[in-house]
Amino acid sequence: DGGITQSPKYLFRKEGQNVTLSCEQNLNHDAMYWYRQDPGQGLRLIYYSQIVNDFQKGDIAEGYSVSREKKESFPLTVTSAQKNPTAFYLCASRRQSSNEKLFFGSGTQLSVL
Amino acid sequence: AQSVTQLGSHVSVSEGALVLLRCNYSSSVPPYLFWYVQYPNQGLQLLLKYTSAATLVKGINGFEAEFKKSETSFHLTKPSAHMSDAAEYFCAVSDPGNTGKLIFGQGTTLQVKP
């Protein structure tokens, strides 16, 4: 089945530690996105990539980093510079057109120990 | 800049009653508009989208939404609520620069009472 796979489903971070969230898609989509979800705040865009080896900052990129070495993969690293990382993280992808829908993964819940 | 406002963070209806979730948008160009639903601890699923064709858009699970340019609104409705409709609903507008970015509202949690 085609889709987006996020792993792990739950992740715990110790203070000062970097952690990486995985996002893989087999939909042959060009564009991929990372959103952060906090209760009552909707979804906020962290980073996005429209093509391999290229990515842009979203609205809340500070404390995060990404890479796009392969079309199907878009991992997100939450660095120690992100002081409030506890949130639900959603990865999404879509074909390249502004009226195309986003396909979402099932999310990763990140918590701080 | 584009933005989306969802009026009411929580809406409660009785089973069988009309569901109305409100969404207003701000956009300098004709928008593409979306409604997504999220069940607990899951990703988002598309309910419906408006892309400048018919102003009344029908989606999955009996939901529909009407695009009203004069009111800059895209409210989501369902004639008769079902217990399984209890979830969080997000309205979103597409960035006009073809980056594919969606700008989301803050979400509305729908509670359905038996």
Side-chain angles (χ1 to χ4, degrees):
Chain A
D1 288 340
I4 300 178
T5 301
Q6 288 187 244
S7 62
K9 189 167 182 63
Y10 300 97
L11 186 58
F12 297 91
R13 193 190 90 167
K14 296 179 182 178
E15 192 171 341
Q17 184 182 41
N18 293 351
V19 292
T20 298
L21 285 61
S22 171
C23 178
E24 303 276 333
Q25 55 98 0
N26 61 4
L27 299 166
N28 198 33
H29 286 169
D30 292 303
M32 298 186 73
Y33 306 82
W34 275 106
Y35 284 90
R36 170 178 170 143
Q37 185 177 15
D38 296 279
Q41 296 192 45
L43 279 70
R44 293 180 290 168
L45 183 64
I46 306 172
Y47 268 98
Y48 65 102
S49 168
Q50 295 182 274
I51 195 169
V52 174
N53 292 323
D54 188 38
F55 49 83
Q56 286 77 39
K57 294 181 178 179
D59 300 318
I60 56 165
E62 185 174 353
Y64 300 96
S65 65
V66 294
S67 62
R68 186 86 186 277
E69 298 177 1
K70 298 186 296 183
K71 186 176 185 178
E72 58 269 24
S73 178
F74 192 42
L76 174 74
T77 296
V78 184
T79 74
S80 57
Q82 173 50 247
K83 299 305 180 186
N84 184 24
T86 297
F88 191 56
Y89 291 85
L90 287 161
C91 180
S93 71
R94 58 149 225 180
R95 293 188 296 218
Q96 280 289 35
S97 172
S98 59
N99 67 348
E100 289 289 335
K101 70 174 186 179
L102 286 179
F103 288 78
F104 283 85
S106 57
T108 294
Q109 176 64 50
L110 175 61
S111 302
V112 177
L113 289 176
Chain B
Q2 292 185 309
S3 65
V4 173
T5 302
Q6 291 183 240
L7 298 176
S9 59
H10 288 85
V11 170
S12 182
V13 301
S14 298
E15 191 174 18
L18 172 71
V19 175
L20 171 60
L21 304 182
R22 299 178 186 273
C23 172
N24 288 88
Y25 69 91
S26 172
S27 177
S28 57
V29 297
Y32 295 132
L33 295 160
F34 303 79
W35 273 101
Y36 281 86
V37 61
Q38 184 183 34
Y39 299 100
N41 298 313
Q42 294 187 26
L44 277 67
Q45 302 172 34
L46 182 71
L47 279 176
L48 49 83
K49 68 177 183 180
Y50 168 77
T51 57
S52 74
T55 56
L56 182 61
V57 181
K58 295 187 182 299
I60 62 171
N61 301 338
F63 284 94
E64 62 182 37
E66 186 172 9
F67 173 70
K68 291 187 177 180
K69 184 178 179 181
S70 61
E71 298 178 6
T72 61
S73 69
F74 191 56
H75 303 330
L76 182 71
T77 60
K78 182 174 180 177
S80 176
H82 192 273
M83 295 298 290
S84 61
D85 294 327
E88 189 160 20
Y89 292 80
F90 292 94
C91 182
V93 62
S94 182
D95 177 74
N98 201 29
T99 61
K101 293 188 296 181
L102 286 189
I103 298 152
F104 287 87
Q106 294 178 315
T108 298
T109 300
L110 176 65
Q111 180 187 25
V112 182
K113 298 177 292 186

